[in-house]
Amino acid sequence: MKTGKSIDWWWIGIICVATFLRIFRIGTLTEFLGDQGRTMLTMRDFLEGGIVPIIGPSTLSGHNVGPMFYYLLVPGYPGGPIGTSLWVALLGVLAVVVMYETARLMFGLWPARLSALLWAVSPLIVFADRVIWEPNLVPLFAALYIYLLYRVHMHWFRWAWVSLGAVVGILVQLHYPNVFFIGLTGLYLVGSMVFRLRNVTYTLKAITLWSVGLILMMMPFFIYEYANGFKNIAGVTSIIIGSGDITLGKRAMLGHVVDYAFRVFGQVLPYMRLTIAPWLISAWMLFVIVFPSKKNLFFSLWFFGGLVSMGKYTEVVYDHYLNFLTPAPFLLIGSVVYSVRNTSWKNVVYGFVLLLCVLQLMQTDVFARGSNDIARVKAAVTEIKTIAGESPFSFTLISSRSYSDLHYRYYMGVMNVNPVSFADTTYRKFMLVCDRAECPSVSEITTLTDLAILCYEQHCKEFYPKLPIQKEWKYQSDVPLRANGGQLGRLYIFDRR
């Protein structure tokens, strides 16, 4: 990156910091649980088995998104879970670049530097950028959406409108709350006509080009939906419409807005507390009043419109549901830096944002112990293969952070280990894997009467089946799972009575 004729060393430094935080010790720090195992199994069927996915992962609501996430992971798959995590981390670095370019285009050099640096060192974003999970790519494409929207706002570009539609098509396939960007695009086009920035002819052309990009990106998913009666699209639409019919009291809605704003602000500010969120919301509104601009108004409609939309959702709103709002506060900080550039507050604001960057950097987990998930799973599968040999066996997990055992099943496939169903009555060995470093004692294990079996069918039909382990099985021995110089878990072996 060059500024004029000179190299922008700030840009280079920011990218180096972002890259280091995301890829250093990635094999130790990345999370590899059931969702990641599911993804790797699908990628294996895709790239080794020739089964092209036209449907994506299942969401907590029971509906499937599109398959775009799997297509985006193709470059990283040859490296296995670590290679795929590394590719996701590099996409996280790309998000820093997109944030820099977006802020530079909107506000100039220093707002871009400070906004991108704050993004680069955010502990929550750094952690997410290492993990193979579709919601974690949303901030990248949300930032890219804003970049492209601003490009078409400044100048007419056919390719930019097509690209904008394509980006929305990708976002919708990463997580359903991102349908908000369809409404945001419509709001922008209506606003452009209301403020006489664009005429009807321009708007119709823009809608056509945007729709082409959207349809092209979603074509595989549309093919699946057509063949299956549009069950996912209809299901999600009913949820959205049903949420729109719900009327919340002012106090309840305000509580939701403050809670969700607190979670999004937590990606920007260190030591964030729920009690601080109302003050930040008030400061945001005051800033927009003091420094009114179309950009600040758009950021506010995006951010608060998104918060209110999610506030109407009747189910639990998890943190990753709000990822489509991630770029908004970073861009607003860029707007603040831009707004004070010619005032006596300039150095104070610059220094404050740099202090935030230092505090956020201090909270990153780059030198933490790490979960060692990949090493644990590989060690456990290696031990199981050695103990079971050619004999049939079954297994499950205990003390796991995962809701399924697909991360183990992925590595079992890699090592040619083939467990049978726990309901099969012919196998003689049962392996119980403690899926974390701190494990139950043998006495705690042997006093269990029933054991919940982690299943991998969709939502396990809402419950885990039970194995009467004390009645049907006898404890034989246990083996510590060691890797990277430490104990990462434990394997308990049982024989059938």
Side-chain angles (χ1 to χ4, degrees):
M1 174 62 65
K2 293 186 177 181
T3 58
K5 296 182 179 180
S6 62
I7 297 175
D8 185 359
W9 292 104
W10 270 86
W11 184 87
I12 293 175
I14 291 169
I15 299 309
C16 288
V17 169
T19 304
F20 172 77
L21 293 176
R22 286 157 176 79
I23 70 173
F24 182 65
R25 300 175 63 231
I26 193 168
T28 299
L29 297 173
T30 189
E31 188 174 81
F32 190 73
L33 301 175
D35 285 338
Q36 290 70 49
R38 171 212 65 197
T39 297
M40 294 304 297
L41 286 167
T42 303
M43 293 298 295
R44 185 175 66 192
D45 291 341
F46 176 20
L47 297 177
E48 297 180 25
I51 303 173
V52 179
I54 59 174
I55 188 70
S58 173
T59 65
L60 290 172
S61 66
H63 303 99
N64 290 84
V65 294
M68 184 54 63
F69 177 60
Y70 300 132
Y71 304 160
L72 292 170
L73 296 184
V74 168
Y77 176 75
I82 292 180
T84 308
S85 297
L86 180 61
W87 173 245
V88 172
L90 293 177
L91 291 177
V93 175
L94 178 60
V96 177
V97 175
V98 174
M99 172 54 60
Y100 180 95
E101 286 300 312
T102 304
R104 185 180 67 85
L105 193 64
M106 288 183 166
F107 307 115
L109 202 57
W110 271 103
R113 289 168 174 172
L114 295 176
S115 298
L117 180 59
L118 194 56
W119 182 298
V121 300
S122 168
L124 295 177
I125 295 178
V126 168
F127 176 81
D129 282 347
R130 302 190 196 104
V131 180
I132 309 166
W133 197 34
E134 58 276 8
N136 293 344
L137 298 186
V138 171
L140 163 62
F141 289 99
L144 184 58
Y145 170 89
I146 299 301
Y147 173 80
L148 291 170
L149 186 64
Y150 194 70
R151 290 296 301 268
V152 297
H153 175 74
M154 298 300 294
H155 303 284
W156 170 271
F157 291 112
R158 286 187 176 87
W159 66 266
W161 272 113
V162 175
S163 300
L164 190 67
V167 167
V168 173
I170 293 171
L171 282 164
V172 172
Q173 293 182 75
L174 293 176
H175 211 256
Y176 279 123
N178 299 329
V179 297
F180 181 82
F181 287 105
I182 297 177
L184 195 62
T185 305
L187 181 64
Y188 167 78
L189 290 171
V190 171
S192 296
M193 289 191 294
V194 169
F195 290 106
R196 300 183 184 278
L197 300 175
R198 298 288 187 267
N199 58 31
V200 175
T201 301
Y202 173 97
T203 302
L204 291 176
K205 288 181 180 178
I207 292 173
T208 301
L209 294 170
W210 181 88
S211 299
V212 168
L214 177 76
I215 292 170
L216 286 175
M217 283 297 104
M218 298 196 67
M219 186 59 69
F221 184 56
F222 284 154
I223 292 172
Y224 174 87
E225 286 295 281
Y226 176 77
N228 291 272
F230 295 95
K231 62 178 183 180
N232 291 297
I233 293 176
V236 172
T237 301
S238 67
I239 291 175
I240 295 172
I241 294 175
S243 298
D245 292 337
I246 294 172
T247 303
L248 294 177
K250 294 180 181 179
R251 185 182 296 273
M253 177 57 73
L254 182 60
H256 286 318
V257 168
V258 171
D259 177 36
Y260 303 157
F262 152 70
R263 300 193 218 173
V264 179
F265 286 142
Q267 297 180 320
V268 185
L269 302 175
Y271 311 111
M272 185 64 194
R273 298 292 183 270
L274 182 61
T275 53
I276 302 175
W279 295 99
L280 292 175
I281 293 172
S282 300
W284 183 316
M285 293 178 175
L286 180 62
F287 171 73
V288 174
I289 292 172
V290 175
F291 297 96
S293 69
K294 293 185 179 69
K295 296 171 189 172
N296 291 339
L297 178 61
F298 178 82
F299 295 155
S300 300
L301 290 173
W302 170 21
F303 186 68
F304 293 108
L307 294 178
V308 171
S309 297
M310 294 310 300
K312 289 180 173 293
Y313 183 60
T314 56
E315 303 298 329
V316 177
V317 174
Y318 296 93
D319 290 350
H320 62 273
Y321 287 20
L322 304 170
N323 282 0
F324 70 99
L325 299 174
T326 295
F330 290 94
L331 289 171
L332 190 78
I333 286 177
S335 182
V336 171
V337 173
Y338 172 79
S339 300
V340 301
R341 69 193 184 285
N342 295 322
T343 71
S344 58
W345 287 92
K346 172 183 174 180
N347 291 333
V348 174
V349 172
Y350 283 24
F352 179 71
V353 177
L354 286 172
L355 176 62
L356 291 179
C357 293
V358 172
L359 293 175
Q360 289 286 67
L361 180 62
M362 291 170 60
Q363 294 188 65
T364 57
D365 63 350
V366 68
F367 296 113
R369 177 182 177 183
S371 62
N372 280 291
D373 287 336
I374 293 176
R376 178 188 305 107
V377 175
K378 292 173 70 174
V381 175
T382 300
E383 286 289 348
I384 289 172
K385 182 175 183 178
T386 300
I387 294 169
E390 299 298 323
S391 303
F393 74 95
S394 190
F395 83 104
T396 196
L397 312 181
I398 194 172
S399 301
S400 180
R401 301 176 349 260
S402 177
Y403 293 105
S404 78
D405 58 11
L406 293 180
H407 45 322
Y408 282 83
R409 292 183 183 274
Y410 166 74
Y411 268 111
M412 286 178 176
V414 171
M415 299 184 189
N416 198 27
V417 177
N418 301 299
V420 300
S421 169
F422 85 99
D424 192 316
T425 59
T426 61
Y427 65 95
R428 307 299 302 173
K429 283 195 178 294
F430 184 81
M431 312 285 187
L432 181 59
V433 182
C434 174
D435 198 26
R436 64 173 64 209
E438 299 78 22
C439 295
S441 65
V442 171
S443 60
E444 291 174 308
I445 292 295
T446 53
T447 55
L448 291 173
T449 54
D450 294 314
L451 185 65
I453 304 295
L454 292 193
C455 50
Y456 50 94
E457 295 84 1
Q458 185 175 1
H459 296 282
C460 304
K461 297 180 180 178
E462 300 185 357
F463 70 94
Y464 290 132
K466 298 286 187 178
L467 178 71
I469 191 165
Q470 193 174 77
K471 178 181 178 181
E472 298 182 0
W473 295 90
K474 180 180 179 181
Y475 168 80
Q476 182 194 63
S477 62
D478 60 284
V479 180
L481 303 174
R482 301 184 184 276
N484 298 334
Q487 180 173 323
L488 305 180
R490 185 166 290 274
L491 177 65
Y492 305 92
I493 302 100
F494 290 81
D495 287 334
R496 189 180 291 274
R497 291 185 183 275

